[in-house]
Amino acid sequence: MPMPPSLRELQRDFADALIEGEAPGLVPWIAARGIDPHARLRIYRHAGYAIHVDALEAVFPAVRALVGEDSFDGLATRYTARHGSTSGNLQHFGCEFADFLAAQPELEGYAWLPHVAHLEWLRQESLLAAQATASPASVWLEALQQAGAGALYAHLQPHVRYLQAPLPVLDVWQWTRHPQQAAPDLQGPAQHVLLWRHDTRVEMQAVSASSGAFLAAVLAGRDLADALPGGAGVLETCIAPLIEHGLLARIVTTPAPPARSET
Amino acid sequence: MQGSPIPAMAVGVGLRAPHHDWVMDERPSVGFFEVHSENFFAPGGPGRELLDNLREDYPISLHGVGLSLGSADALDAAHLAQLACLVARVQPALVSEHVCWGAYAGRHYNDLLPLPYTEEALDLMVQRVQQVQETLGRTILVENVSSYIQFTHSTLHEWEFLAELARRSGCGLLLDVNNVHVNSVNHGFDAHAFLAGIPGSAVGEMHLAGFTRKHGLGGDLLIDSHNRRVDEAVWTLYAEAVRRFGARPTLVEWDQDLPDFEVLLDEARMATEHMHANATLPA
C-alpha cells in the first residue's frame, strides 16, 4: 500500500488536474462511489474555468460584444490557463488580458481589440480606486507662494486614468453600447481618453493631444512646468478638464507617487 | 471592533451586485445582509459607498471566499491585511471563511476546494484559523463546504474535523445546511449523524441555498449551485438543525441566475417560519 500524499502533494496534484486535466497521482486517493474519479475532478476543472471566464466577462463587456460570446469564452479560457489568478480576490484578475490579446496570432487583423481591452481594464482600476480629499484653494495658493521658482506638482484624484490609443478607442467602446448606430472608422484618428469616477460610475472623455500629453506627464509624477507641452500658454487648455470634473486633488511642491493599479 | 450581534432569530440575505440598487432604494425588511468580503476590499468605488450606507440600517456579516485557509502555502499576508482593514472599518456582526483550500504555489483557483480530513490538514487549519483570529482580534466562523470528492485517506469524518477545529481553535461554525445535504448524497453519509456530531454551542450561523442534480455520471451527484430555491430535503434538515441547536442567524444564499429580490425575501420568510416552528424558545 503506497503512502498517502501529504497535504502539499495532494494540492500540487489537484492543481495539476485543474490546469492540465490530469492527475494520475491523485486519482487513487479519490473515493469513486460509482463515479469515475476523473469525472469528479472535471467538475472542479470546469467550474474553475467558468469562474474565471465569468470574472473576465464582467470586466470586458465591450471586448466580448466585439468578438462574440464563443470567441470570448475561448480567449478567456486560454488566458485563464496561461496566466491564472494571483489573488484570492477576483477583482485583480484580467490585468494582463489586453497584452494577451495583442499576442494572439489569430487576432492579428484586430489590432484595435487590445486597445479596447486596455480601456476596459482602466475602467476597472478607476472604479475601484480611492477618492482623495481635495485641498482647498487656499492650500494651493500657499503652495504656489512657497514654490517660488521651484517645481510644482499636481496630484490628481487616485481614480484618474489616461489612455492614448492610435485609433478611436472610445468611439469603438461606445459603439458596443449602441450597435444600432453607425460603426466607427477603425482607421480613424488616434484618441486620447481621460477616465475618472463620478459617484459610482466611471466617466470617459476624449481630450486633445496636448491635454493627453499633459495628463500622461502629470500621472508619471513630472512637475507642472515640465508637463506642459507648449509651456505655460497652454496651461488653461490642459488643466481645464481636470478642473471641470474636480479631478485635481492638490497642487504641492512634492511629486505624487506614479499612478498605479489600485485593484 | 464588533458590531451589534445579530439576533438568533434573524434571517438574512446574501447581497449580490444585481440587487444593490433595489436594496438601497427599497430598504427591505431583512434581518441582516451578508456580503463577500473580497468584493469590498477596494479602497474606493461603489462597493465602499454601498457598505457604508447599508451598515447604517442593517447588521452586516462579512463572508470571505478567497483566504484559502487550508492551503499548504502560507496565508496571503496582503489578503489578510485587507480583510483586517475591512473588518476594522465595517465592524461587522459576523466574519466567516471556509474550511477549504484554493491556492497552490502562488496560483489562486478562486474556488472552495476540498481538504482531506486528516490530522495534518486539521493541524494546519487550527493554526490558520488562530492566525486569522489573532490578526482580526475576534472570533471567526468557518463554513463546511460542499464537495464532489472524498479522499480515501481521510481519517476523520467531516463533522469530526469541524468539531475538533472549533474546539482547538476556538472558532465558531457556520453550518451550511445545504452543503450537509449535498455532501451526504455525494459521499453517502447520514446527514443526521453529521448534525449529531456538531457541537451546537459552536454554531454561530446557518446557511441555506439551492442545489442542482447532475446526471449522466453513473451515480448521484448534487452540485451546490446556489441558483434555485431551497430544496424540501434541506428545509427538513434545517428544521432538525434548529430543533437540535436552537435558533441561529440564518442566511439565504443565491449566486447564479439571480431572481428578483422578492424571491429571496420569500425564501427568507420560509426560513423564518421553519425557525419559529422548530426553535425552542427560552422559558
Side-chain angles (χ1 to χ4, degrees):
Chain A
M1 185 71 177
M3 285 284 287
S6 67
L7 188 62
R8 181 171 292 282
E9 290 167 340
L10 180 147
Q11 292 180 357
R12 178 199 63 201
D13 291 350
F14 205 122
D16 284 347
L18 295 175
I19 301 167
E20 307 295 339
E22 297 292 335
L26 185 61
V27 167
W29 302 102
I30 296 174
R33 293 197 69 253
I35 298 176
D36 181 355
H38 294 94
R40 291 181 179 275
L41 281 167
R42 274 198 297 276
I43 292 170
Y44 285 102
R45 176 172 158 82
H46 293 159
Y49 276 111
I51 288 166
H52 292 92
V53 169
D54 286 351
L56 293 173
E57 279 182 6
V59 177
F60 299 97
V63 172
R64 185 169 182 260
L66 288 164
V67 302
E69 186 177 339
D70 289 347
S71 294
F72 185 89
D73 284 0
L75 288 164
T77 300
R78 276 160 49 200
Y79 175 77
T80 301
R82 192 165 306 173
H83 289 266
S85 168
T86 57
S87 170
N89 181 357
L90 271 172
Q91 289 175 331
H92 295 260
F93 188 58
C95 65
E96 295 172 286
F97 193 53
D99 292 340
F100 168 82
L101 295 177
Q104 300 312 299
E106 77 268 30
L107 296 177
E108 200 174 341
Y110 303 86
W112 40 270
L113 196 60
H115 297 289
V116 178
H118 193 181
L119 184 70
E120 296 205 289
W121 184 253
L122 292 181
R123 287 178 58 84
Q124 168 81 343
E125 287 190 353
S126 178
L127 185 69
L128 301 174
Q131 172 82 31
T133 304
S135 301
S138 58
V139 175
W140 297 10
L141 290 171
E142 190 179 334
L144 288 167
Q145 287 168 352
Q146 283 179 352
L152 276 174
Y153 299 88
H155 291 206
L156 305 184
Q157 282 292 345
H159 50 80
V160 172
R161 294 291 183 275
Y162 166 69
L163 177 65
Q164 178 186 350
L167 51 94
V169 65
L170 180 57
D171 295 346
V172 174
W173 187 89
Q174 288 170 335
W175 178 70
T176 64
R177 311 272 288 184
H178 307 286
Q180 71 281 10
Q181 296 179 357
D185 177 9
L186 295 173
Q187 309 302 319
Q191 226 164 17
H192 305 263
V193 186
L194 166 66
L195 303 92
W196 73 98
R197 192 181 65 239
H198 176 69
D199 291 337
T200 58
R201 290 172 47 130
V202 174
E203 305 283 354
M204 299 188 288
Q205 177 183 324
V207 296
S208 67
S210 57
S211 285
F214 173 72
L215 271 170
V218 168
L219 287 168
R222 286 161 60 187
D223 73 76
L224 280 173
D226 191 28
L228 287 167
V234 295
L235 176 63
E236 190 177 336
T237 311
C238 291
I239 218 161
L242 302 177
I243 300 288
E244 179 187 354
H245 302 299
L247 305 182
L248 205 51
R250 59 186 66 88
I251 293 177
V252 291
T253 54
T254 53
R260 60 181 175 80
S261 169
E262 298 279 356
T263 56
Chain B
M1 290 190 296
Q2 189 158 335
S4 304
I6 297 173
M9 300 291 278
V11 175
V13 174
L15 184 59
R16 306 295 178 253
H19 290 144
H20 285 178
D21 289 345
W22 191 92
V23 165
M24 296 310 291
D25 290 344
E26 300 296 327
R27 302 281 166 161
S29 176
V30 170
F32 66 103
F33 279 112
E34 188 163 284
V35 297
H36 287 169
S37 310
E38 289 77 7
N39 291 344
F40 298 87
F41 277 3
R48 173 171 284 246
E49 193 171 306
L50 172 97
L51 210 48
D52 288 347
N53 200 317
L54 208 60
R55 63 189 288 266
E56 291 178 7
D57 293 338
Y58 300 95
I60 299 294
S61 169
L62 293 179
H63 188 50
V65 294
L67 195 50
S68 192
L69 285 173
S71 282
D73 292 352
L75 280 184
D76 181 339
H79 193 109
L80 182 53
Q82 286 183 299
L83 177 62
C85 283
L86 183 66
V87 168
R89 185 168 67 80
V90 175
Q91 298 184 27
L94 298 171
V95 179
S96 54
E97 253 291 346
H98 293 87
V99 180
C100 70
W101 67 283
Y104 177 77
R107 180 163 178 159
H108 288 253
Y109 297 92
N110 305 105
D111 199 356
L112 309 174
L113 302 174
L115 286 165
Y117 298 123
T118 60
E119 292 294 338
E120 181 195 14
L122 180 59
D123 288 345
L124 181 81
M125 280 296 298
V126 168
Q127 181 253 312
R128 291 290 166 74
V129 168
Q130 288 174 333
Q131 182 184 349
V132 172
Q133 292 186 146
E134 283 167 15
T135 302
L136 301 184
R138 60 184 288 163
T139 302
I140 66 168
L141 306 177
V142 292
E143 178 184 345
N144 56 302
V145 298
S146 57
S147 63
Y148 318 113
I149 281 177
Q150 192 176 42
F151 296 104
T152 56
H153 61 293
S154 288
T155 54
L156 299 162
H157 291 297
E158 183 182 359
W159 54 91
E160 293 171 332
F161 189 95
L162 294 168
E164 196 60 12
L165 174 58
R167 187 186 70 78
R168 286 170 53 184
S169 71
C171 73
L173 297 176
L174 195 176
L175 181 68
D176 190 312
V177 181
N178 181 59
N179 290 349
V180 174
H181 175 71
V182 164
N183 286 2
S184 73
V185 172
N186 290 352
H187 307 313
F189 63 73
D190 180 357
H192 309 292
F194 189 115
L195 294 186
I198 293 294
S201 60
V203 177
E205 184 187 354
M206 295 195 220
H207 272 185
L208 295 164
F211 63 80
T212 52
R213 193 173 299 274
K214 194 165 179 67
H215 300 286
L217 294 175
D220 286 340
L221 198 81
L222 305 184
I223 303 292
D224 181 29
S225 50
H226 290 202
N227 67 342
R228 59 184 61 198
R229 284 181 178 270
V230 176
D231 190 86
E232 196 54 45
V234 176
W235 283 127
T236 303
L237 195 60
Y238 175 64
E240 181 184 335
V242 172
R243 284 194 298 274
R244 184 180 285 277
F245 304 132
R248 293 288 189 278
T250 297
L251 186 90
V252 172
E253 285 187 300
W254 201 310
D255 290 289
Q256 305 286 330
D257 308 324
L258 276 170
D260 289 342
F261 197 82
E262 282 93 342
V263 177
L264 276 64
L265 288 175
D266 193 51
E267 291 284 87
R269 178 191 59 76
M270 290 178 67
T272 302
E273 286 179 7
H274 278 83
M275 192 188 284
H276 282 265
N278 292 283
T280 304
L281 297 174

